[in-house]
Amino acid sequence: MTSKERMATEKKEKEEQPQRRNGVSRLSSQLPALTKTAFRNTLGGRGFAEAGLITEWASIVGNDVARMSRPVQLAFPRGERKGGVLTIECGGAAALELQHLKPQILDRINSHFGYAALAELRFRQGSTPIRAKSRAAKRDSRPPSAAEIAETTAAVAAIPEGEIKASLMRLGLAIRRDSRKK
């Protein structure tokens, strides 16, 4: 083996080994590498290169449209990032209404992307996710008892006065209120 071949082999081995870091680094700088595989296997595998479309669906299209629909697949022409087709799942009756709102929905989604990413919307009949009722409706409206207030106050007594103590006090009372329902 010549010295050139040996150097090339050593260089290739170094590139394959993960780079060690002996110092402190921010989590935000490591997050893309950590989540890359997860997003590729879940969202990217279903045609979602843009995860924000799923997570921000209600704020993009509005609560009324989001209640009756959900994005299912986003497809772009090969090698392009514009002129895409978004498949939306919705109930049978909602499809007609969404068909009439199609120009507004397309405009809102393209505004979210910042360019004409989508050229078409397709609707697929299916079930929309059942939304959990809000916690406010489930909450007990009765004020906490004196015993619950005393127990919670004793639990947070060691914490100095301020916003954190007030937040922990509210949290403790909410936990006790939820546990008395059971």
Side-chain angles (χ1 to χ4, degrees), residues 19-173:
Q19 185 178 6
R20 292 185 65 191
R21 293 201 166 102
N22 295 329
V24 177
S25 65
R26 293 182 181 199
L27 178 62
S28 61
S29 66
Q30 301 298 319
L31 198 58
L34 296 172
T35 58
K36 182 178 178 181
T37 305
F39 284 131
R40 185 179 341 111
N41 292 341
T42 58
L43 299 174
R46 290 184 19 219
F48 274 101
E50 300 293 334
L53 192 60
I54 295 172
T55 59
E56 303 292 325
W57 183 245
S59 63
I60 295 170
V61 297
N63 288 331
D64 293 336
V65 174
R67 261 193 295 275
M68 62 178 114
S69 65
R70 67 184 176 115
V72 178
Q73 184 178 16
L74 176 61
F76 290 104
R78 187 174 293 276
E80 300 275 331
R81 297 306 286 167
K82 59 183 179 181
V85 177
L86 177 65
T87 304
I88 298 174
E89 190 172 82
C90 58
L96 182 62
E97 185 176 349
L98 293 176
Q99 189 70 36
H100 289 292
L101 294 173
K102 190 175 186 176
Q104 289 90 356
I105 296 170
L106 267 173
D107 186 47
R108 286 180 175 189
I109 295 171
N110 285 333
S111 295
H112 170 74
F113 282 116
Y115 64 100
L118 297 183
E120 185 179 347
L121 290 178
R122 291 187 184 154
F123 300 102
R124 184 173 85 187
Q125 187 171 353
S127 62
T128 56
I130 298 170
R131 307 241 189 264
K133 293 182 181 176
S134 69
R135 287 185 171 199
K138 293 180 183 178
R139 288 245 160 97
D140 190 356
S141 61
R142 292 180 292 160
S145 66
E148 290 172 336
I149 293 173
E151 289 173 2
T152 308
T153 304
V156 296
I159 299 169
E161 292 295 326
E163 283 187 44
I164 294 176
K165 185 172 185 173
S167 294
L168 288 173
M169 185 73 176
R170 286 190 304 270
L171 176 64
L173 289 172

